[in-house]
Amino acid sequence: MHFDVFNGDADGIIALVQLRLAEPKQSKLITGVKRDIALVEKVSIEQATSATILDISMEKNITSLTQLLNNEVDVFYVDHHRAGDIPQTDKLRAIIDTDANTCTSLLVNTHLNHQYVNWAITAAYGDNMLASAEALAEQVGLSQFEKSQLKALGIYINYNGYGRSVNDLHVAPDQLYLKLLQYENPLALIAEPNSVFHQLENAYNQDMEKAISAQILANNKQCKAVVLPDEAWARRVSGVFGNELANQSPDKANIVFTINTDGSYTVSLRAPLNNKQGAGDICAEFPTGGGRAAAAGVNKLPAEMINAFIKAVAQYYA
């Protein structure tokens, strides 16, 4: 049996859309909310003969990956997060690039020789790789209107991946993937009046309207920090709201704290767009934290560590 394992955000979902449009395959889908990255352990070693793993850190899944490889499972792994030591075996084919201006879907796009480039552009927009998305869109000759449409779709797909559990999401990531897979070109999806694009657009606009009044904890030259309540809408916008703040203030870091039920905080950190480094390193210094250079997070930051986190961000980018 083949397993497709992928992050539930725009990059993970669209990376798989491109691969399965190019190479249709019966598979068992394993995914979850964006922050659910311990996904490789859910692959059945007894059942798996092969696996495709997309947009989740190899470093965070190395134990489960090693078990698969030791059990003679063929693995194709594409990602842009910290990888750690990549196993050296002919059972693993890995495309890993941690450059701050690329993402998994862009790597897949290159692998497929731009076969479904509009999907890759959509994912890059969704992952807030705006410069990379714009450059690729220019390269293939998209109009300003087409670019704006793909950007909106990417943002909405990414927005749909944030939540404490799949119950917070409007569409479960595996179901969203299956809906998107029906379209070779995302512009055709957008053109359909009753498609999932319009469903997510309405939901996104409603949630972001509430986020505008977020409480500001800090706003200085180095960073801005806001806090959102323990509500489903707040968990859904935590990532895309961080991206929006980053785009508004490209010279400073932006932090979105969202209150968890137990009083701890989920944290989304965006490095300054004009200095896309350090976010993953900062978050890794705190319990349950990690990520990549441009964008990272902490799953459960103790309330008493909020000031220390803001201070660490401000000091790093000073």
Side-chain angles (χ1 to χ4, degrees), residues 11-55:
D11 194 24
I13 292 173
I14 292 173
L16 185 59
V17 168
Q18 292 176 85
L19 283 172
R20 290 295 157 256
L21 285 172
E23 185 187 344
K25 187 175 288 191
Q26 284 289 108
S27 69
K28 181 170 178 58
L29 303 177
I30 294 181
T31 187
V33 297
K34 180 180 174 64
R35 287 177 183 271
D36 186 0
I37 59 169
L39 294 174
V40 181
E41 67 184 20
K42 298 180 183 178
V43 176
S44 168
I45 293 179
E46 294 75 24
Q47 292 181 303
T49 54
S50 57
T52 297
I53 303 172
L54 303 168
D55 197 38

Side-chain angles (χ1 to χ4, degrees), residues 199-226:
Q199 175 190 345
L200 292 178
E201 180 178 50
N202 292 335
Y204 171 87
N205 288 335
Q206 289 175 19
D207 284 352
M208 286 295 277
E209 188 70 30
K210 296 173 185 171
I212 292 170
S213 58
Q215 178 189 351
I216 298 172
L217 296 181
N219 191 12
N220 51 49
K221 187 178 178 183
Q222 291 81 29
C223 68
K224 181 175 183 177
V226 301

Side-chain angles (χ1 to χ4, degrees), residues 30 69 99 134 136 141 143 157 178 206 225 238-239 257 269 288 297:
I30 294 181
L69 297 172
D99 186 282
E134 289 285 335
L136 192 52
S143 69
I157 296 170
L178 292 171
Q206 289 175 19
S238 61
F257 295 99
L269 171 64
T288 71

